[in-house]
Short mmCIF file of all heavy atoms in Angstrom, two decimals:
data_model
loop_
_atom_site.label_atom_id
_atom_site.label_comp_id
_atom_site.label_asym_id
_atom_site.label_seq_id
_atom_site.Cartn_x
_atom_site.Cartn_y
_atom_site.Cartn_z
N GLY A 15 48.45 32.28 -3.54
CA GLY A 15 47.43 32.88 -4.42
C GLY A 15 48.00 33.35 -5.77
O GLY A 15 47.22 33.59 -6.75
N ASP A 16 49.32 33.48 -5.90
CA ASP A 16 49.91 33.94 -7.19
C ASP A 16 50.37 32.79 -8.05
O ASP A 16 50.90 33.01 -9.15
CB ASP A 16 51.06 34.88 -6.89
CG ASP A 16 52.18 34.22 -6.04
OD1 ASP A 16 51.92 33.16 -5.38
OD2 ASP A 16 53.28 34.76 -5.97
N ASP A 17 50.17 31.57 -7.63
CA ASP A 17 50.54 30.33 -8.39
C ASP A 17 49.37 29.96 -9.31
O ASP A 17 48.39 29.37 -8.89
CB ASP A 17 50.84 29.25 -7.41
CG ASP A 17 51.38 27.99 -8.09
OD1 ASP A 17 51.07 27.74 -9.32
OD2 ASP A 17 52.03 27.15 -7.40
N THR A 18 49.52 30.28 -10.59
CA THR A 18 48.42 30.09 -11.54
C THR A 18 48.06 28.63 -11.71
O THR A 18 46.87 28.28 -11.92
CB THR A 18 48.73 30.74 -12.93
OG1 THR A 18 49.95 30.19 -13.41
CG2 THR A 18 48.85 32.22 -12.79
N GLN A 19 49.03 27.73 -11.71
CA GLN A 19 48.73 26.32 -11.84
C GLN A 19 47.98 25.80 -10.60
O GLN A 19 47.02 25.02 -10.76
CB GLN A 19 50.05 25.52 -11.97
CG GLN A 19 50.72 25.71 -13.28
CD GLN A 19 51.92 24.85 -13.41
OE1 GLN A 19 52.67 24.57 -12.50
NE2 GLN A 19 52.24 24.42 -14.67
N LEU A 20 48.35 26.28 -9.42
CA LEU A 20 47.61 25.90 -8.22
C LEU A 20 46.18 26.45 -8.26
O LEU A 20 45.23 25.73 -7.87
CB LEU A 20 48.34 26.34 -6.93
CG LEU A 20 47.69 25.90 -5.68
CD1 LEU A 20 47.85 24.38 -5.46
CD2 LEU A 20 48.20 26.58 -4.50
N VAL A 21 46.03 27.65 -8.74
CA VAL A 21 44.68 28.27 -8.82
C VAL A 21 43.82 27.42 -9.75
O VAL A 21 42.65 27.12 -9.43
CB VAL A 21 44.76 29.73 -9.32
CG1 VAL A 21 43.36 30.22 -9.70
CG2 VAL A 21 45.39 30.58 -8.30
N ALA A 22 44.35 26.95 -10.84
CA ALA A 22 43.56 26.13 -11.82
C ALA A 22 43.22 24.82 -11.16
O ALA A 22 42.06 24.32 -11.28
CB ALA A 22 44.35 25.91 -13.09
N LEU A 23 44.14 24.15 -10.49
CA LEU A 23 43.86 22.89 -9.81
C LEU A 23 42.84 23.11 -8.68
O LEU A 23 41.91 22.30 -8.49
CB LEU A 23 45.15 22.31 -9.21
CG LEU A 23 45.02 21.04 -8.43
CD1 LEU A 23 44.44 19.89 -9.31
CD2 LEU A 23 46.39 20.60 -7.82
N ALA A 24 42.97 24.17 -7.96
CA ALA A 24 42.04 24.51 -6.86
C ALA A 24 40.66 24.68 -7.41
O ALA A 24 39.67 24.29 -6.79
CB ALA A 24 42.53 25.73 -6.09
N GLN A 25 40.50 25.32 -8.60
CA GLN A 25 39.16 25.55 -9.16
C GLN A 25 38.50 24.24 -9.46
O GLN A 25 37.32 24.06 -9.24
CB GLN A 25 39.26 26.42 -10.40
CG GLN A 25 37.91 26.82 -10.99
CD GLN A 25 37.07 27.55 -9.94
OE1 GLN A 25 37.50 28.53 -9.35
NE2 GLN A 25 35.85 27.08 -9.68
N GLU A 26 39.28 23.24 -9.97
CA GLU A 26 38.73 21.93 -10.21
C GLU A 26 38.27 21.29 -8.95
O GLU A 26 37.22 20.68 -8.88
CB GLU A 26 39.70 21.06 -10.96
CG GLU A 26 40.05 21.53 -12.38
CD GLU A 26 41.09 20.70 -13.03
OE1 GLU A 26 41.24 19.51 -12.66
OE2 GLU A 26 41.80 21.21 -13.96
N SER A 27 39.10 21.41 -7.89
CA SER A 27 38.75 20.81 -6.60
C SER A 27 37.52 21.48 -6.02
O SER A 27 36.67 20.83 -5.42
CB SER A 27 39.94 20.97 -5.61
OG SER A 27 41.02 20.22 -6.13
N VAL A 28 37.40 22.81 -6.16
CA VAL A 28 36.24 23.51 -5.64
C VAL A 28 34.95 22.99 -6.29
O VAL A 28 33.94 22.76 -5.61
CB VAL A 28 36.37 25.01 -5.87
CG1 VAL A 28 35.03 25.79 -5.74
CG2 VAL A 28 37.40 25.61 -4.97
N THR A 29 34.99 22.74 -7.59
CA THR A 29 33.85 22.17 -8.28
C THR A 29 33.42 20.87 -7.71
O THR A 29 32.24 20.65 -7.47
CB THR A 29 34.14 22.05 -9.76
OG1 THR A 29 34.47 23.35 -10.32
CG2 THR A 29 32.98 21.53 -10.57
N VAL A 30 34.33 20.01 -7.46
CA VAL A 30 34.08 18.63 -6.91
C VAL A 30 33.53 18.74 -5.49
O VAL A 30 32.50 18.14 -5.15
CB VAL A 30 35.33 17.77 -6.99
CG1 VAL A 30 35.12 16.49 -6.23
CG2 VAL A 30 35.72 17.49 -8.45
N VAL A 31 34.24 19.52 -4.64
CA VAL A 31 33.83 19.62 -3.24
C VAL A 31 32.50 20.33 -3.14
O VAL A 31 31.65 19.92 -2.31
CB VAL A 31 34.92 20.34 -2.42
CG1 VAL A 31 34.46 20.58 -1.01
CG2 VAL A 31 36.20 19.47 -2.42
N THR A 32 32.23 21.30 -3.95
CA THR A 32 30.93 21.98 -3.90
C THR A 32 29.81 20.98 -4.20
O THR A 32 28.78 20.97 -3.55
CB THR A 32 30.92 23.18 -4.89
OG1 THR A 32 31.93 24.10 -4.51
CG2 THR A 32 29.52 23.87 -4.87
N ALA A 33 30.02 20.14 -5.19
CA ALA A 33 29.04 19.12 -5.54
C ALA A 33 28.78 18.16 -4.36
O ALA A 33 27.65 17.80 -4.07
CB ALA A 33 29.42 18.35 -6.80
N MET A 34 29.88 17.77 -3.66
CA MET A 34 29.76 16.90 -2.52
C MET A 34 28.99 17.58 -1.36
O MET A 34 28.15 16.98 -0.71
CB MET A 34 31.10 16.41 -2.04
CG MET A 34 31.76 15.49 -3.02
SD MET A 34 33.25 14.61 -2.38
CE MET A 34 34.24 15.92 -1.86
N VAL A 35 29.29 18.85 -1.15
CA VAL A 35 28.59 19.61 -0.07
C VAL A 35 27.13 19.78 -0.43
O VAL A 35 26.26 19.53 0.41
CB VAL A 35 29.27 21.01 0.17
CG1 VAL A 35 28.40 21.91 1.01
CG2 VAL A 35 30.66 20.81 0.73
N ARG A 36 26.81 20.06 -1.63
CA ARG A 36 25.42 20.22 -2.08
C ARG A 36 24.68 18.91 -1.91
O ARG A 36 23.55 18.86 -1.39
CB ARG A 36 25.31 20.70 -3.53
CG ARG A 36 23.89 20.91 -3.96
CD ARG A 36 23.78 21.21 -5.48
NE ARG A 36 24.48 22.42 -5.85
CZ ARG A 36 24.01 23.70 -5.69
NH1 ARG A 36 22.82 23.83 -5.21
NH2 ARG A 36 24.69 24.71 -6.11
N ALA A 37 25.30 17.82 -2.24
CA ALA A 37 24.71 16.50 -2.12
C ALA A 37 24.49 16.11 -0.62
O ALA A 37 23.45 15.64 -0.25
CB ALA A 37 25.53 15.41 -2.78
N TYR A 38 25.49 16.43 0.19
CA TYR A 38 25.37 16.10 1.63
C TYR A 38 24.28 16.85 2.26
O TYR A 38 23.55 16.30 3.13
CB TYR A 38 26.74 16.41 2.26
CG TYR A 38 26.85 15.87 3.73
CD1 TYR A 38 27.33 14.62 3.96
CD2 TYR A 38 26.42 16.66 4.78
CE1 TYR A 38 27.39 14.11 5.24
CE2 TYR A 38 26.46 16.19 6.08
CZ TYR A 38 26.95 14.90 6.32
OH TYR A 38 27.04 14.44 7.61
N THR A 39 24.15 18.10 1.92
CA THR A 39 23.07 18.92 2.58
C THR A 39 21.76 18.87 1.81
O THR A 39 20.80 19.53 2.23
CB THR A 39 23.51 20.42 2.66
OG1 THR A 39 23.72 20.93 1.32
CG2 THR A 39 24.80 20.53 3.46
N ARG A 40 21.71 18.17 0.67
CA ARG A 40 20.54 18.15 -0.22
C ARG A 40 20.10 19.53 -0.60
O ARG A 40 18.93 19.86 -0.63
CB ARG A 40 19.44 17.35 0.42
CG ARG A 40 19.74 15.95 0.63
CD ARG A 40 18.57 15.11 1.17
NE ARG A 40 19.01 13.73 1.45
CZ ARG A 40 18.22 12.79 1.70
NH1 ARG A 40 16.90 13.01 1.77
NH2 ARG A 40 18.67 11.60 1.98
N GLY A 41 21.11 20.37 -0.83
CA GLY A 41 20.83 21.74 -1.32
C GLY A 41 20.58 22.72 -0.20
O GLY A 41 20.51 23.94 -0.47
N GLY A 42 20.52 22.26 1.03
CA GLY A 42 20.34 23.23 2.15
C GLY A 42 21.57 24.11 2.26
O GLY A 42 22.68 23.68 2.09
N GLY A 43 21.35 25.39 2.55
CA GLY A 43 22.42 26.33 2.68
C GLY A 43 22.89 26.94 1.35
O GLY A 43 23.86 27.72 1.33
N PHE A 44 22.21 26.62 0.28
CA PHE A 44 22.56 27.12 -1.04
C PHE A 44 21.44 28.04 -1.52
O PHE A 44 20.24 27.75 -1.35
CB PHE A 44 22.75 26.02 -2.06
CG PHE A 44 24.08 25.30 -1.99
CD1 PHE A 44 24.26 24.30 -1.05
CD2 PHE A 44 25.13 25.64 -2.78
CE1 PHE A 44 25.47 23.65 -0.95
CE2 PHE A 44 26.37 25.00 -2.67
CZ PHE A 44 26.52 23.98 -1.77
N THR A 45 21.83 29.12 -2.12
CA THR A 45 20.86 29.98 -2.85
C THR A 45 21.30 29.97 -4.31
O THR A 45 22.34 30.47 -4.67
CB THR A 45 20.93 31.44 -2.31
OG1 THR A 45 20.65 31.41 -0.92
CG2 THR A 45 19.92 32.32 -3.05
N GLY A 46 20.51 29.28 -5.12
CA GLY A 46 20.94 29.06 -6.49
C GLY A 46 22.17 28.17 -6.47
O GLY A 46 22.19 27.09 -5.91
N SER A 47 23.23 28.63 -7.07
CA SER A 47 24.48 27.91 -7.12
C SER A 47 25.47 28.30 -6.09
O SER A 47 26.59 27.73 -6.01
CB SER A 47 25.11 28.06 -8.51
OG SER A 47 25.45 29.40 -8.74
N GLU A 48 25.07 29.29 -5.24
CA GLU A 48 26.05 29.80 -4.25
C GLU A 48 25.76 29.25 -2.84
O GLU A 48 24.63 29.29 -2.38
CB GLU A 48 26.02 31.34 -4.22
CG GLU A 48 26.59 31.91 -5.49
CD GLU A 48 26.88 33.41 -5.35
OE1 GLU A 48 26.92 33.92 -4.21
OE2 GLU A 48 26.98 34.04 -6.36
N ALA A 49 26.83 28.81 -2.19
CA ALA A 49 26.73 28.36 -0.79
C ALA A 49 26.77 29.56 0.13
O ALA A 49 27.34 30.61 -0.22
CB ALA A 49 27.88 27.42 -0.51
N ASN A 50 26.13 29.40 1.30
CA ASN A 50 26.23 30.47 2.31
C ASN A 50 27.67 30.54 2.85
O ASN A 50 28.49 29.70 2.51
CB ASN A 50 25.18 30.32 3.41
CG ASN A 50 25.39 29.10 4.26
OD1 ASN A 50 26.48 28.59 4.37
ND2 ASN A 50 24.32 28.71 4.83
N ASP A 51 27.95 31.48 3.70
CA ASP A 51 29.33 31.65 4.21
C ASP A 51 29.84 30.46 4.98
O ASP A 51 31.03 30.10 4.86
CB ASP A 51 29.44 32.93 5.05
CG ASP A 51 29.33 34.20 4.26
OD1 ASP A 51 29.47 34.16 3.03
OD2 ASP A 51 29.11 35.25 4.92
N GLU A 52 28.94 29.83 5.76
CA GLU A 52 29.43 28.67 6.54
C GLU A 52 29.77 27.48 5.65
O GLU A 52 30.84 26.89 5.83
CB GLU A 52 28.35 28.24 7.52
CG GLU A 52 28.17 29.27 8.65
CD GLU A 52 27.00 28.87 9.57
OE1 GLU A 52 26.21 27.95 9.23
OE2 GLU A 52 26.90 29.54 10.61
N LEU A 53 28.97 27.21 4.69
CA LEU A 53 29.30 26.12 3.77
C LEU A 53 30.47 26.51 2.85
O LEU A 53 31.24 25.66 2.47
CB LEU A 53 28.04 25.77 2.88
CG LEU A 53 26.88 25.12 3.70
CD1 LEU A 53 25.72 24.85 2.77
CD2 LEU A 53 27.31 23.94 4.50
N GLY A 54 30.58 27.81 2.56
CA GLY A 54 31.74 28.27 1.74
C GLY A 54 33.04 27.98 2.47
O GLY A 54 34.07 27.62 1.90
N ALA A 55 33.02 28.12 3.81
CA ALA A 55 34.23 27.81 4.60
C ALA A 55 34.56 26.32 4.54
O ALA A 55 35.73 25.94 4.43
CB ALA A 55 34.02 28.25 6.07
N VAL A 56 33.53 25.49 4.58
CA VAL A 56 33.76 24.03 4.45
C VAL A 56 34.34 23.73 3.06
O VAL A 56 35.30 22.94 2.98
CB VAL A 56 32.44 23.26 4.67
CG1 VAL A 56 32.61 21.81 4.30
CG2 VAL A 56 32.00 23.38 6.11
#
Side-chain angles (χ1 to χ4, degrees):
D16 58 345
D17 184 337
T18 57
Q19 288 182 329
L20 184 71
V21 169
L23 178 61
Q25 187 58 52
E26 292 177 25
S27 297
V28 164
T29 302
V30 170
V31 173
T32 299
M34 291 191 306
V35 168
R36 182 186 300 278
Y38 190 90
T39 64
R40 295 185 184 191
F44 283 83
T45 302
S47 63
E48 291 194 19
N50 66 23
D51 289 344
E52 292 177 349
L53 294 180
V56 170

